[in-house]
Amino acid sequence: MIKPSLKLGFLASRNGSSLRAIVAAIRAGTLDAQARLVVSNNRAAPALAFAAEAGIPELCIPTQADAETADRRLAAALTEAGVELVVLSGYLRRLGPVTLAAYRDRILNIHPGPLPAFGGEGMYGRKVHEAVIAAGAAESEITIHLVDEEYDHGAVLARRAVPIAPGETADSLEARVTALEPEVFVETLQRIARGELVLP
Protein backbone atom coordinates (compact mmCIF):
# COMPACT_ATOMS: atom_id res chain seq x y z
CA MET A 1 0.00 0.00 0.00
CA ILE A 2 1.48 3.37 -1.05
CA LYS A 3 1.37 6.01 1.67
CA PRO A 4 -0.13 9.24 0.28
CA SER A 5 2.01 12.34 0.46
CA LEU A 6 1.08 15.10 2.90
CA LYS A 7 -1.18 17.75 1.37
CA LEU A 8 -0.08 20.97 3.02
CA GLY A 9 -1.60 24.43 3.33
CA PHE A 10 0.40 27.32 4.76
CA LEU A 11 -0.64 30.45 6.64
CA ALA A 12 1.94 33.25 6.80
CA SER A 13 1.72 36.94 7.71
CA ARG A 14 5.23 37.95 6.68
CA ASN A 15 8.23 36.17 5.21
CA GLY A 16 7.22 32.55 5.79
CA SER A 17 10.68 31.16 6.64
CA SER A 18 9.38 27.69 7.53
CA LEU A 19 7.20 27.69 4.39
CA ARG A 20 10.32 28.30 2.28
CA ALA A 21 12.29 25.54 4.01
CA ILE A 22 9.43 23.06 3.66
CA VAL A 23 8.97 23.82 -0.06
CA ALA A 24 12.74 23.42 -0.54
CA ALA A 25 12.59 19.99 1.15
CA ILE A 26 9.67 18.94 -1.07
CA ARG A 27 11.61 19.98 -4.17
CA ALA A 28 14.75 18.21 -2.97
CA GLY A 29 12.77 15.01 -2.54
CA THR A 30 13.48 14.78 1.19
CA LEU A 31 9.86 15.45 2.22
CA ASP A 32 6.97 13.50 0.70
CA ALA A 33 4.44 16.33 0.56
CA GLN A 34 2.58 18.72 -1.73
CA ALA A 35 2.26 22.46 -1.16
CA ARG A 36 -1.40 23.04 -2.06
CA LEU A 37 -2.04 26.64 -0.94
CA VAL A 38 -0.41 29.65 0.77
CA VAL A 39 -2.72 32.14 2.51
CA SER A 40 -1.80 35.44 4.14
CA ASN A 41 -3.80 38.09 5.98
CA ASN A 42 -1.30 40.65 4.63
CA ARG A 43 -1.38 41.51 0.92
CA ALA A 44 2.24 42.73 1.07
CA ALA A 45 3.57 39.54 2.70
CA PRO A 46 6.74 38.30 0.98
CA ALA A 47 5.34 34.77 1.52
CA LEU A 48 2.68 35.45 -1.14
CA ALA A 49 5.28 36.62 -3.67
CA PHE A 50 7.35 33.52 -2.89
CA ALA A 51 4.33 31.27 -3.47
CA ALA A 52 3.55 32.96 -6.80
CA GLU A 53 7.15 32.53 -7.97
CA ALA A 54 7.12 28.89 -6.84
CA GLY A 55 3.87 28.17 -8.69
CA ILE A 56 1.92 27.51 -5.51
CA PRO A 57 -1.66 28.85 -5.42
CA GLU A 58 -1.78 31.88 -3.11
CA LEU A 59 -4.54 33.92 -1.58
CA CYS A 60 -4.87 36.99 0.62
CA ILE A 61 -7.70 36.88 3.16
CA PRO A 62 -7.68 40.04 5.34
CA THR A 63 -9.05 39.35 8.81
CA GLN A 64 -9.40 42.70 10.56
CA ALA A 65 -12.57 44.11 8.95
CA ASP A 66 -14.70 40.97 9.31
CA ALA A 67 -13.07 38.11 11.20
CA GLU A 68 -16.10 35.78 10.92
CA THR A 69 -16.31 36.02 7.13
CA ALA A 70 -12.52 35.65 6.88
CA ASP A 71 -12.70 32.49 9.01
CA ARG A 72 -15.31 30.93 6.71
CA ARG A 73 -13.35 31.95 3.60
CA LEU A 74 -10.15 30.46 4.99
CA ALA A 75 -11.74 27.12 5.90
CA ALA A 76 -13.40 26.93 2.47
CA ALA A 77 -10.21 27.84 0.59
CA LEU A 78 -8.15 25.22 2.43
CA THR A 79 -10.79 22.56 1.87
CA GLU A 80 -11.20 23.39 -1.83
CA ALA A 81 -7.42 23.17 -2.30
CA GLY A 82 -7.45 19.65 -0.85
CA VAL A 83 -5.35 20.66 2.14
CA GLU A 84 -5.14 17.99 4.85
CA LEU A 85 -2.54 19.54 7.15
CA VAL A 86 -2.15 23.26 7.90
CA VAL A 87 1.25 24.76 8.73
CA LEU A 88 1.45 28.14 10.48
CA SER A 89 4.60 29.92 9.30
CA GLY A 90 4.57 33.15 11.26
CA TYR A 91 0.80 33.67 10.99
CA LEU A 92 -0.02 36.53 13.35
CA ARG A 93 -3.80 36.19 13.59
CA ARG A 94 -5.87 34.00 15.86
CA LEU A 95 -7.71 31.27 13.94
CA GLY A 96 -11.51 31.26 14.02
CA PRO A 97 -13.86 28.46 15.10
CA VAL A 98 -14.81 27.33 11.57
CA THR A 99 -11.19 26.74 10.53
CA LEU A 100 -10.33 25.16 13.89
CA ALA A 101 -13.27 22.76 13.60
CA ALA A 102 -12.51 21.87 9.97
CA TYR A 103 -8.87 21.08 10.81
CA ARG A 104 -9.07 19.78 14.37
CA ASP A 105 -5.66 18.27 15.33
CA ARG A 106 -4.37 19.05 11.83
CA ILE A 107 -2.96 22.58 12.35
CA LEU A 108 0.73 22.80 13.32
CA ASN A 109 2.47 25.80 14.83
CA ILE A 110 6.01 26.45 16.02
CA HIS A 111 6.80 28.23 19.28
CA PRO A 112 10.23 29.73 20.05
CA GLY A 113 10.36 28.62 23.70
CA PRO A 114 9.48 25.82 26.11
CA LEU A 115 5.77 25.05 26.48
CA PRO A 116 3.73 25.41 28.58
CA ALA A 117 6.10 27.47 30.76
CA PHE A 118 6.76 30.23 28.21
CA GLY A 119 3.54 30.24 26.21
CA GLY A 120 0.08 31.75 26.27
CA GLU A 121 -1.53 34.95 25.07
CA GLY A 122 0.99 37.71 24.37
CA MET A 123 3.96 35.33 24.50
CA TYR A 124 5.50 35.42 21.03
CA GLY A 125 8.75 36.39 19.33
CA ARG A 126 11.15 38.53 21.35
CA LYS A 127 8.94 38.41 24.47
CA VAL A 128 9.52 34.66 24.77
CA HIS A 129 13.31 34.97 24.56
CA GLU A 130 13.34 37.84 27.08
CA ALA A 131 11.27 35.75 29.50
CA VAL A 132 13.53 32.70 29.12
CA ILE A 133 16.65 34.79 29.81
CA ALA A 134 14.99 36.58 32.76
CA ALA A 135 14.03 33.23 34.29
CA GLY A 136 17.67 32.11 34.28
CA ALA A 137 16.77 28.93 32.38
CA ALA A 138 19.62 26.57 31.43
CA GLU A 139 18.05 25.97 28.03
CA SER A 140 15.30 27.18 25.77
CA GLU A 141 13.40 25.06 23.32
CA ILE A 142 11.77 25.06 19.90
CA THR A 143 8.35 23.46 20.18
CA ILE A 144 6.00 22.20 17.45
CA HIS A 145 2.44 21.87 18.70
CA LEU A 146 -1.11 21.38 17.49
CA VAL A 147 -3.30 24.49 17.46
CA ASP A 148 -6.57 24.68 19.37
CA GLU A 149 -8.76 27.44 20.79
CA GLU A 150 -6.19 28.53 23.38
CA TYR A 151 -2.81 30.10 22.60
CA ASP A 152 0.04 27.55 22.74
CA HIS A 153 -2.21 24.99 24.42
CA GLY A 154 -2.47 22.08 21.94
CA ALA A 155 -0.56 18.79 22.17
CA VAL A 156 3.22 19.08 21.69
CA LEU A 157 4.51 17.03 18.75
CA ALA A 158 8.24 17.80 18.84
CA ARG A 159 10.81 19.62 20.97
CA ARG A 160 14.36 20.74 20.21
CA ALA A 161 16.46 21.95 23.15
CA VAL A 162 18.51 25.13 22.64
CA PRO A 163 21.15 25.49 25.39
CA ILE A 164 21.58 28.96 26.86
CA ALA A 165 25.18 30.11 26.30
CA PRO A 166 27.12 32.14 28.91
CA GLY A 167 26.34 35.82 28.44
CA GLU A 168 23.33 34.99 26.27
CA THR A 169 20.99 37.87 25.47
CA ALA A 170 17.45 37.89 24.11
CA ASP A 171 18.96 39.08 20.80
CA SER A 172 21.48 36.26 20.49
CA LEU A 173 18.98 33.61 21.63
CA GLU A 174 16.37 34.86 19.17
CA ALA A 175 18.90 34.69 16.32
CA ARG A 176 19.87 31.09 17.13
CA VAL A 177 16.28 29.90 17.62
CA THR A 178 15.06 31.64 14.44
CA ALA A 179 17.83 29.98 12.42
CA LEU A 180 16.86 26.52 13.70
CA GLU A 181 13.06 26.76 13.45
CA PRO A 182 12.63 25.89 9.73
CA GLU A 183 14.80 22.77 10.11
CA VAL A 184 12.77 21.59 13.11
CA PHE A 185 9.51 22.09 11.18
CA VAL A 186 10.83 20.12 8.20
CA GLU A 187 12.05 17.27 10.44
CA THR A 188 8.66 17.07 12.19
CA LEU A 189 6.80 16.88 8.87
CA GLN A 190 9.23 14.21 7.64
CA ARG A 191 8.41 12.11 10.71
CA ILE A 192 4.67 12.56 10.07
CA ALA A 193 5.10 11.65 6.37
CA ARG A 194 7.04 8.48 7.29
CA GLY A 195 4.42 7.45 9.83
CA GLU A 196 6.83 7.76 12.78
CA LEU A 197 4.78 10.56 14.32
CA VAL A 198 1.05 9.85 14.35
CA LEU A 199 -1.38 12.72 14.84
CA PRO A 200 -4.42 12.22 17.12
Side-chain angles (χ1 to χ4, degrees):
M1 181 178 156
I2 297 171
K3 195 170 184 325
S5 59
L6 303 177
K7 296 174 179 63
L8 304 177
F10 299 87
L11 306 184
S13 293
R14 294 178 184 162
N15 197 44
S17 300
S18 292
L19 154 69
R20 293 164 190 257
I22 292 163
V23 170
I26 293 170
R27 288 181 165 167
T30 58
L31 173 61
D32 184 14
Q34 303 165 17
R36 290 295 188 95
L37 181 65
V38 175
V39 180
S40 182
N41 59 305
N42 170 19
R43 204 169 299 282
L48 290 181
F50 167 80
E53 289 167 15
I56 304 165
E58 35 87 20
L59 187 61
C60 178
I61 301 179
T63 56
Q64 282 185 312
D66 185 347
E68 287 183 23
T69 298
D71 180 26
R72 289 194 297 272
R73 279 188 67 200
L74 178 58
L78 292 167
T79 303
E80 286 164 16
V83 169
E84 294 173 351
L85 201 60
V86 180
V87 171
L88 303 192
S89 182
Y91 189 66
L92 306 176
R93 309 304 296 175
R94 191 171 195 152
L95 292 176
V98 178
T99 302
L100 288 171
Y103 286 92
R104 172 81 48 202
D105 294 330
R106 293 297 178 271
I107 303 172
L108 279 63
N109 192 25
I110 193 160
H111 187 74
L115 290 178
F118 295 92
E121 188 162 4
M123 286 296 284
Y124 58 87
R126 174 60 61 85
K127 295 177 183 177
V128 176
H129 307 298
E130 288 171 348
V132 169
I133 296 291
E139 63 180 29
S140 190
E141 191 174 80
I142 296 166
T143 315
I144 306 272
H145 65 96
L146 295 174
V147 174
D148 63 14
E149 289 80 3
E150 292 181 53
Y151 284 111
D152 306 324
H153 172 263
V156 171
L157 301 178
R159 299 180 188 271
R160 168 85 70 90
V162 182
I164 303 294
E168 189 90 75
T169 64
D171 275 343
S172 62
L173 180 59
E174 182 174 44
R176 292 198 297 128
V177 167
T178 301
L180 286 169
E181 281 181 336
E183 173 188 313
V184 176
F185 229 142
V186 169
E187 285 177 4
T188 302
L189 289 170
Q190 286 169 332
R191 290 177 59 214
I192 294 171
R194 290 194 298 260
E196 295 168 14
L197 181 59
V198 179
L199 299 178

